[in-house]
């Protein structure tokens, strides 16, 4: 009935993403053995009570304010356990606090579940928190990923709205690089109703509607500002879509197809010691990445995004949260 009965630890489970995640894991038949963790014990108990009141068949859900208890024997970990951003902030404004949380998470994993099969980091800036957790956890790089697909689903939905077509009529949408304002929103590979976006930008139409280069720039900006727009509209950061996409990702690790880019540790092809969204495949082995194809403009945007992440990573090294690159192997022997 469930894709796995191995333990899934959900960290940040008192929050909106975490509690939705637990519910979605159960409602979608993905996992029934779930440990909910959050330091906010009262809210956590409330979230767990609500899950119990849903009465999911075969549900085996526990809750604890002790991170070690939640992590012990966990096969899978999904964490939204960092501070969310508020209106007017960038995701990177969260770095100082959330980087420390990510370092502690990595240390806790090393101590309590060094053999866990998959760690998915959601809290922002996810490329950096995922990287920090990877280095400190000692996990193999393929076992750690970050949620990146929301930028591509936002591209898909923005194009569907522009061309007035059903969302799944827009295919091949991909953003790569960082999950921040510097993300690379690719045009190559995208099709609207079967018409390549590159041809539409050269004068073709889809559903009798065209798109000018300026309109494409607006769409790219809208995707880059997609998370901020939700905060502006709802007065709080997104929670339904990250919870759902995270469950889709876990299902990818459990053998179901997952079509969106994921965060991966990238060290090769001119990119070094970084976590960022790339073309990826999820499987029981975790996440593996490859180089994207794209127009020169797309690929330059990816390089710019990478350079931005390098500056953020180097600041984290300067702050002492990450060791110098040459010493990463001492924290994590799986890293070159
Ligand atoms: C999102 O993209 O919705 C999340 O990263 C949350 C945020 O602060 O934007």
């Amino acid at each position: 009935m469930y894709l796995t009965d191995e333990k899934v630890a959900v960290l940040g489970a008192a929050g909106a993403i975490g509690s939705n995640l637990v519910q979605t894991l159960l409602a979608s038949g993905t996992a029934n053995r779930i440990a909910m963790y959050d330091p906010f014990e009262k809210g956590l108990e409330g979230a767990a009570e609500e899950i119990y009141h849903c009465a999911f068949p075969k549900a085996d859900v526990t809750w604890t304010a002790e991170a070690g208890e939640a992590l012990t024997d966990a096969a899978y970990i999904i964490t939204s356990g960092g501070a969310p951003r508020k209106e007017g902030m960038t995701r990177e404004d969260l770095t100082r606090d959330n980087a420390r949380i990510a370092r502690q998470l990595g240390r806790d994993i090393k101590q309590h579940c060094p053999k866990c099969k998959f760690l998915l980091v959601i809290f922002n800036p996810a490329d950096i928190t995922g990287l920090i957790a990877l280095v400190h956890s000692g996990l193999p790089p393929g076992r750690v990923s970050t949620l990146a697909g929301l930028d591509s689903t936002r591209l898909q939905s923005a194009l569907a709205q522009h061309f007035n077509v059903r969302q799944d009529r827009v295919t091949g949408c991909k953003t790569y690089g960082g999950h921040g304002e510097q993300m690379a929103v690719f045009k190559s590979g995208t099709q609207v109703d079967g018409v390549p976006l590159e041809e539409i930008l050269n004068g073709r139409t889809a559903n009798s509607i065209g798109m000018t280069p300026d309109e494409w720039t607006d769409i790219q900006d809208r995707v880059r500002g997609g998370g901020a727009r939700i905060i502006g509209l709802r007065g709080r950061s997104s929670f339904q879509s990250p919870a759902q996409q995270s469950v889709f990702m876990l299902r990818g690790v459990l053998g179901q197809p997952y079509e969106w880019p994921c965060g991966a540790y990238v060290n090769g092809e001119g990119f070094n010691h970084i976590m960022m969204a790339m073309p990826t495949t999820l499987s029981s082995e975790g996440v593996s990445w490859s180089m994207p194809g794209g127009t020169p403009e797309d690929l330059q945007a990816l390089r710019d995004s990478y350079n931005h992440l390098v500056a953020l990573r180097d600041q984290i090294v300067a702050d002492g949260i990450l060791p110098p690159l040459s010493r990463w192997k001492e924290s994590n022997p799986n890293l070159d």
Side-chain angles (χ1 to χ4, degrees):
M1 173 175 183
Y2 292 92
L3 290 180
T4 183
D5 60 5
E6 290 190 281
K7 180 171 170 182
V8 181
V10 175
L11 314 183
I17 297 179
S19 53
N20 269 266
L21 240 162
V22 174
Q23 183 162 343
T24 307
L25 285 169
L26 289 156
S28 62
T30 303
N32 66 322
R33 203 170 140 221
I34 302 169
M36 299 171 68
Y37 161 77
D38 202 291
F40 174 39
E41 195 163 356
K42 190 169 166 212
L44 179 64
E45 181 175 0
E49 281 292 334
E50 282 230 63
I51 294 295
Y52 300 147
H53 301 170
C54 294
F56 288 106
K58 295 192 168 49
D60 178 2
V61 178
T62 56
W63 61 273
T64 173
E66 297 296 326
E69 189 183 329
L71 290 172
T72 299
D73 297 330
Y76 306 102
I77 304 163
I78 308 179
T79 174
S80 60
R85 69 167 157 156
K86 307 256 182 333
E87 191 147 17
M89 295 170 77
T90 68
R91 296 181 182 97
E92 287 155 22
D93 291 336
L94 299 167
T95 306
R96 210 157 280 273
D97 289 343
N98 284 353
R100 286 183 170 72
I101 293 174
R103 177 173 59 184
Q104 188 57 45
L105 169 67
R107 289 173 176 167
D108 287 345
I109 289 173
K110 188 177 266 179
Q111 184 181 352
H112 298 288
C113 54
K115 296 210 176 333
C116 94
K117 297 180 188 174
F118 192 65
L119 164 66
L120 171 54
V121 178
I122 305 175
F123 61 96
N124 280 315
D127 315 286
I128 297 299
T129 54
L131 184 64
I132 296 169
L134 167 65
V135 173
H136 288 287
S137 67
L139 292 173
R143 300 283 173 195
V144 181
S145 185
T146 59
L147 177 63
L150 282 186
D151 302 317
S152 299
T153 63
R154 285 172 182 157
L155 175 58
Q156 185 193 43
S157 80
L159 289 170
Q161 286 167 32
H162 175 90
F163 289 101
N164 197 21
V165 295
R166 211 177 64 197
Q167 189 169 332
D168 64 358
R169 299 296 303 159
V170 185
T171 56
C173 294
K174 306 284 185 234
T175 74
Y176 297 122
H179 175 57
E181 255 93 301
Q182 287 276 339
M183 70 183 71
V185 184
F186 272 43
K187 69 167 162 264
S188 55
T190 297
Q191 298 198 348
V192 182
D193 244 345
V195 186
L197 180 59
E198 286 181 77
E199 293 182 20
I200 296 173
L201 289 169
N202 281 326
R204 276 188 74 182
T205 60
N207 196 27
S208 306
I209 298 171
M211 178 172 271
T212 63
D214 282 351
E215 285 172 326
W216 168 237
T217 302
D218 287 347
I219 294 269
Q220 289 179 301
D221 288 344
R222 181 160 168 189
V223 172
R224 293 191 188 101
R229 184 156 184 264
I230 296 294
I231 296 172
L233 290 168
R234 303 193 78 175
R236 52 151 307 126
S237 65
S238 62
F239 61 99
Q240 291 167 286
S241 50
Q244 182 64 57
Q245 279 293 322
S246 300
V247 174
F248 281 148
M249 281 182 70
L250 180 59
R251 293 176 71 83
V253 173
L254 296 170
Q256 308 294 307
Y258 183 75
E259 66 175 296
W260 305 104
C262 305
Y265 177 70
V266 180
N267 195 23
E269 303 279 359
F271 303 111
N272 298 311
H273 298 85
I274 213 76
M275 177 83 71
M276 64 181 186
M278 289 291 262
T280 42
T281 306
L282 291 175
S283 71
S284 59
E285 300 300 310
V287 62
S288 60
W289 64 274
S290 59
M291 272 299 286
T295 63
E297 199 186 348
D298 289 340
L299 295 172
Q300 184 56 48
L302 175 59
R303 183 141 293 282
D304 292 345
S305 187
Y306 163 74
N307 287 334
H308 181 73
L309 289 173
V310 165
L312 288 178
R313 177 202 65 198
D314 291 350
Q315 184 57 52
I316 292 294
V317 172
D319 290 346
I321 305 276
L322 276 175
L325 273 52
S326 59
R327 295 185 49 203
W328 282 13
K329 221 174 169 39
E330 292 169 26
S331 297
N332 188 336
N334 293 300
L335 300 179
D336 291 325

